[in-house]
Amino acid sequence: MSTILIADDHPLFREALRGAVQRILPDASLCEADSVDALYGLVEANPDADLLLMDLNMPGAHGFSALVHLRALHPQLPVVVVSAREEPAVMRRALDHGALGFIPKSADSETIGIAVGQVLDGERWAPAAAASAPAMDRDEEAVARRLRELTPQQFRVLQMLGEGRLNKQIA
């Protein structure tokens, strides 16, 4: 039985993803998160999950930071980004940061099924437009490399700094 993790802050979209996954994997165990903090807990509670479907824009997420951090902590977990950001450059950057797939939120359930099936079979999947976008630049690659080296606590502190919290709040 497969374990699929779904992370999106919109309840209606989580429900739609859940339905699409259940049609192709009726016996799968589905677990959900509505924020990055909840997602980190969900991944820790399900270390042997078969797939993570995650939105880029959730509370606690800053660009690709959550994706980069998850890939560093759990390299064995296949991640597919499901996002309303459908620009080819965003798709390509998600793949460059370690996602095995990118599903636009405008995709129909058949496309979602194909993408999930391919990723579960160990292949990558993304719309054709992603291949035409330029790869991420060296500066972004260097920042991502440094983010992967942070411990979970260091990453949490960095996120709080990014949110503009005071030292007292972080401590």
Side-chain angles (χ1 to χ4, degrees), residues 71-169:
R71 297 301 301 139
L73 292 176
H74 304 280
Q76 80 290 351
L77 177 63
V79 178
V80 173
V81 171
V82 183
S83 180
R85 299 280 315 271
E86 299 185 20
E87 302 89 28
V90 172
M91 293 180 207
R92 174 65 186 263
R93 287 174 64 206
L95 297 171
D96 287 349
H97 282 300
L100 290 182
F102 189 103
I103 302 172
K105 283 191 174 181
S106 64
D108 58 27
S109 61
E110 181 181 346
T111 302
I112 293 170
I114 291 168
V116 167
Q118 272 191 234
V119 172
L120 286 173
D121 287 341
E123 300 174 40
R124 292 179 98 186
W125 190 94
S132 65
M136 71 176 150
D137 62 34
R138 286 187 177 144
D139 291 339
E140 185 174 352
E141 194 174 319
V143 169
R145 189 173 36 258
R146 288 192 300 261
L147 276 176
R148 285 191 293 269
E149 295 170 358
L150 296 177
T151 67
Q153 184 61 27
Q154 290 170 328
F155 187 74
R156 272 190 235 101
V157 170
L158 179 63
Q159 283 183 304
M160 289 185 268
L161 284 170
E163 292 168 2
R165 293 194 186 179
L166 301 172
N167 287 344
K168 283 197 243 182
Q169 294 170 311

